[in-house]
Structures are given as structure tokens and as C-alpha cells.
């Protein structure tokens, strides 16, 4: 049996079309959602992410402002910029691309973003709201993308045993919080595993839905998955590949060819969670814009 492929790429196209229509409607009533994406330095991966986010926003009809600052920008300058964006009525969503250079205190910057414009959901207030089950807390984009993939592929996590591998603030922890939330996309029984989990396979084999966000290529093998489980691979790893012109290929944390023979459904890398993350960023921006008018 070969698993059904959960194509985040196709779903993201559909979601972005829905967003485009929503934005067109908002524009007719005089509201243009605006997103500011801030990048410090010239990290090539971050540049690619920021460019795709801006392009996707523009294609969706969202006003998009990309702000690129030199690597040696001071923390005070960055905080000043954030404060300006907080006060800017054209901007409803602010995203500061992580990681930030070492001389900048990431927590300080994330805390400076107006929680109402925090489309990444990383402000401590929003993290707390999500952790305490607030249904209106903005959901961090990557785990929100995973929930959307599960729901749209007919794999509602409600009542299922979901195992999340990874406990980062960006993916694992908010993923677990979303799955636990009462309401659509939640109501799961959740286990979180990490690098100190002694027998990882024993835990992952318990999963009806297995969500993996580790950052190590092919760590999850076929014998670590329960037959018929649904597997979502969040990992994005670069592995050397001389057959490719660029010298590498992207792969997930799940040994795809093995696991697809055991699982009932699986998301690929690339073309899985990545495109959904961007779609969720646009969705969070539009939600923030709509909320801003309700708050006036
Ligand atoms: P991270 O901050 O490095 O966290 C990795 C997590 O995996 C940690 O909790 C770590 O455990 C756990 N881990 C590491 N080795 C392990 C092992 N051998 N067994 C079990 N758990 C292990 O990474 P992240 O930011 O969450 O990202 C994870 C992956 O997702 C990366 O490949 C990243 O590129 C990808 N990602 C993709 C998207 C997307 O849009 N698709 C977005 C974000 C991230 P400890 O806590 O014990 O160290």
C-alpha cells in the first residue's frame, strides 16, 4: 500500500486563491491589508524566505513592504523601526525574519511588536494566549499550516493520538498547543517527544497522526510508524547531491520512501508544509487587518 500524498503545495494554491478573493472584498470596503517583512543581513536562506513571503502577499492583493537592513544594524535601530511599524496604519502584520544576528536580543524584538500585528504569533502575550487555549490567539504559521493540511485532507485530529516530535518555540510547542485547543483542528490527545525521549520509535509508533519537526534528514524510518498513520513532515534539510546543479537537494525528517509504504497519508518535502506556512502568514495578516477595524 502506498500512502495518499497530502500536497501542501496544491492546498496552498487553493488557500491563496481564497485569500485573494477575501482581500478583494475588503479592498472594496476600503481596507487593504498590509504586511511588513523585516530582514537583517544577507543570509541566503532568509533572503529566499522573505522574497517568497513578499511575492505571495503581493499576489494575494496584500500591500507588502519589505525592509532589508544591514547585518550590523543596532538593536535600538531595529526597535525604532518596529515601533514605527506598530504605529503605521497601512501595516496590519509585522514579521521580523528569524534568526536575528547574535548582537540582537530576539526576545526583546519579538516583545516589541504590537501583539495585534504579531502575525507570527511569537509575542509572549500571544504565546500565553495560545498556551491557555484562547481560540482567538494568532496561530504561528507553520503549525497552523499543519492543522489546515490535516483538516483539508480529511484527517481531523479530534479524538486522535497525535505525537509531535520536536519542542521548539516555532514549531513543536505551538503545534502541541493547537492540537490540544478545544475547537476545530484541536481536541487531540497529544504527546510531545524530543531529543531526550529514550525510545523514540516506541512513542512514534503510538501515533495515529505523527508530526515531525526535528531538523535531521530521514530520522523517522518506516518501522517507527504505525501502519495506517498519517504523517506530516515539517523538516526541511539540505543534503549534498552531486546530481543536482546546485549541489544539494531538500529533504524532510521522514524517510519518505519507506514511510509511504506504512502510512495511510504523508506530506512530501518539498511541496508539503513549506508552502502552507506562507499561506497561513497571508491568512493571519488578513485576520489582523479585519480585527484592526473591529478595534477602532
Ligand atoms: P529546532 O529549534 O532545532 O528544534 C528541533 C527539535 O527537535 C528540538 O526540540 C529537539 O529536541 C528535537 N530533536 C533533535 N534531534 C532529535 C532526535 N534525534 N530525536 C528526537 N528529537 C530530536 O528546529 P525547528 O525550528 O523546530 O525546526 C525543525 C525542522 O522544521 C527544521 O528542519 C526546520 O528547517 C523545519 N521548519 C520548517 C518550516 C516550514 O515552513 N516547513 C518552518 C520551520 C521549521 P531538544 O529540544 O531536546 O533539543
Amino acid at each position: 500500500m502506498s500512502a495518499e500524498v497530502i500536497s501542501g503545495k496544491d492546498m496552498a494554491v487553493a488557500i491563496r486563491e481564497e485569500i485573494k478573493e477575501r482581500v478583494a472584498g475588503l479592498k472594496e470596503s476600503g481596507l487593504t491589508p498590509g504586511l511588513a517583512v523585516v530582514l537583517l543581513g544577507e543570509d541566503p536562506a532568509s533572503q529566499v524566505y522573505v522574497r517568497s513571503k513578499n511575492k505571495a502577499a503581493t499576489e494575494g492583493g496584500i500591500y507588502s513592504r519589505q525592509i532589508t537592513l544591514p547585518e550590523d544594524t543596532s538593536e535600538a535601530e531595529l526597535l525604532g523601526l518596529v515601533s514605527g511599524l506598530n504605529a503605521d496604519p497601512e501595516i496590519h502584520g509585522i514579521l521580523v525574519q528569524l534568526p536575528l544576528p547574535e548582537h540582537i536580543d530576539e526576545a526583546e524584538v519579538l516583545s516589541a511588536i504590537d501583539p495585534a500585528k504579531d502575525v507570527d504569533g511569537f509575542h509572549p502575550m500571544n504565546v500565553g494566549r495560545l498556551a491557555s487555549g484562547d481560540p482567538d490567539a494568532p496561530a504561528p504559521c507553520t503549525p497552523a499550516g499543519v492543522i489546515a493540511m490535516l483538516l483539508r485532507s480529511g484527517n481531523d485530529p479530534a479524538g486522535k493520538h497525535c505525537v509531535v516530535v520536536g519542542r521548539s518555540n516555532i514549531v513543536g510547542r505551538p503545534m502541541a498547543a493547537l492540537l490540544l485547543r478545544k475547537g476545530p483542528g484541536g481536541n487531540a490527545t497529544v504527546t510531545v517527544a524530543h531529543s531526550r525521549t529514550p525510545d523514540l520509535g516506541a512513542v512514534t509508533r503510538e501515533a495515529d497522526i505523527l508530526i515531525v519537526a526535528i531538523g535531521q534528514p530521514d530520522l523517522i524510518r518506516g518501522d517507527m510508524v504505525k501502519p495506517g498513520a498519517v504523517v506530516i513532515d515539517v523538516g526541511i534539510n539540505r543534503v549534498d547531491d552531486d546530481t543536482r546543479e546546485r549541489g544539494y537537494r531538500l529533504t524532510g525528517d521522514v524517510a519518505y520512501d519507506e514511510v509511504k509504504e506504512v502510512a495511510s497519508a504523508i506530506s512530501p518535502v518539498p511541496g508539503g508544509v513549506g508552502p502552507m506556512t506562507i499561506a497561513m502568514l497571508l491568512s493571519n495578516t488578513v485576520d489582523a487587518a479585519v480585527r484592526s477595524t473591529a478595534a477602532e
Side-chain angles (χ1 to χ4, degrees), residues 118-149:
D118 169 35
V119 280
D120 251 344
F122 295 157
H123 187 286
M125 193 179 105
N126 289 328
V127 173
R129 286 176 65 195
L130 178 62
S132 58
D134 180 345
D136 297 322
C141 304
T142 299
V146 173
I147 297 287
M149 285 168 88

Side-chain angles (χ1 to χ4, degrees), residues 10-72:
D10 292 348
M11 281 181 195
V13 169
I15 292 173
R16 283 170 57 177
E17 239 0 90
E18 291 161 22
I19 290 171
K20 204 170 170 177
E21 279 173 30
R22 207 174 149 208
V23 171
L26 291 173
K27 279 180 164 172
E28 273 175 24
S29 59
L31 174 65
T32 301
L35 171 69
V37 182
V38 182
L39 171 67
L40 253 70
E42 291 174 3
D43 174 65
S46 293
Q47 282 179 331
V48 171
Y49 292 142
V50 165
R51 263 201 307 273
S52 356
K53 286 167 185 175
N54 270 299
K55 184 166 171 276
T58 307
E59 283 171 7
I62 293 171
Y63 165 62
S64 173
R65 197 184 295 166
Q66 181 178 334
I67 303 156
T68 306
L69 300 172
E71 174 102 24
D72 61 0

